[in-house]
Amino acid sequence: RFGNSFVAIRPFGGKTAEQIQGEWLLRTYLLHHRKNISCYQFWLADQHKEGTPCGPFYATGFLKHDTVINWKQKYIPRLSWYYMQCFKKQLAGYRFVSEKKNNNMIIYEYENAEKKNAMVIWSATQNGSHLKYSTLLAGKKNHTVIVPNNTTEGKISKKPGGRLTITVTELPQIILY
């Protein structure tokens, strides 16, 4: 048992349990998005109850219990909520085109109605590893790298030139070009 649960996340690779949970939920979202599945269910909130360990899903969900005000529970967003909002916002209007695998690296390619491209890239490992990746973005001059963080927009870095050079981690990143 870990964290009062048989299925709780054990922190590894210098990351917190909430960071790992966010990565896992994003990967799950991407798998569904790839298959054009729009209806699926995630835990919205934890199963908090004062004075109890609340079972195996106490540490899951997009929200965590903060306090009770006027007999109503108050929740605050977990990191996974921000990660998911970032991806839903940045990939709105894009449809999945293809998947590429290169050792432990996974790349999903997307396109929207205006023929703009997006790429989502991550390392499919579970040890906190990092990979260096570089490629030419065909005929493109500029690109934007978006790394999910504790905002709904993510950390946005605009890059000049058609060469993408990126450190790939277990946290999926969006490249718009």
Side-chain angles (χ1 to χ4, degrees):
R1 289 174 66 112
F2 182 79
N4 245 354
S5 169
F6 292 105
V7 293
I9 299 167
R10 295 178 191 271
F12 62 85
K15 296 182 280 190
T16 67
E18 281 197 19
Q19 288 173 311
I20 295 167
Q21 178 204 29
E23 292 170 0
W24 290 356
L25 287 172
L26 270 184
R27 292 179 192 187
T28 302
Y29 166 76
L30 290 167
L31 289 171
H32 286 93
H33 196 252
R34 180 182 118 202
K35 296 290 185 181
N36 203 24
I37 299 171
S38 59
C39 293
Y40 46 92
Q41 181 175 341
F42 290 109
W43 288 98
L44 180 60
D46 66 23
Q47 299 174 341
H48 181 79
K49 184 177 178 189
E50 291 293 333
T52 68
C54 301
F57 299 107
Y58 173 66
T60 63
F62 291 111
L63 306 173
K64 62 184 170 186
H65 183 263
D66 183 27
T67 188
V68 177
I69 299 174
N70 296 328
W71 301 99
K72 293 182 182 175
Q73 292 191 24
K74 179 173 168 51
Y75 291 94
I76 55 176
R78 291 184 189 270
L79 197 54
S80 58
W81 184 86
Y82 291 107
Y83 286 4
M84 190 66 68
Q85 293 303 313
C86 171
F87 266 67
K88 289 172 84 174
K89 182 177 188 175
Q90 299 292 350
L91 291 177
Y94 283 88
R95 67 173 185 77
F96 177 81
V97 175
S98 67
E99 173 184 24
K100 294 179 184 175
K101 292 183 179 179
N102 183 357
N103 295 326
N104 288 329
M105 189 171 53
I106 297 176
I107 301 171
Y108 284 0
E109 294 180 336
Y110 295 86
E111 184 179 83
N112 68 12
E114 290 84 38
K115 301 294 182 194
K116 292 183 181 176
N117 298 319
M119 175 189 309
V120 175
I121 187 168
W122 75 93
S123 172
T125 61
Q126 54 184 2
N127 57 13
S129 64
H130 296 70
L131 307 165
K132 295 287 185 188
Y133 178 70
S134 184
T135 189
L136 279 175
L137 302 171
K140 305 297 178 183
K141 294 184 179 173
N142 300 316
H143 56 280
T144 303
V145 178
I146 303 162
V147 180
N149 61 10
N150 61 345
T151 68
T152 58
E153 289 79 31
K155 180 184 175 195
I156 299 172
S157 303
K158 295 187 183 282
K159 308 282 185 174
R163 174 158 295 279
L164 169 67
T165 303
I166 191 170
T167 300
V168 179
T169 66
E170 294 168 349
L171 176 61
Q173 300 173 62
I174 303 169
I175 296 90
L176 302 175
Y177 60 102

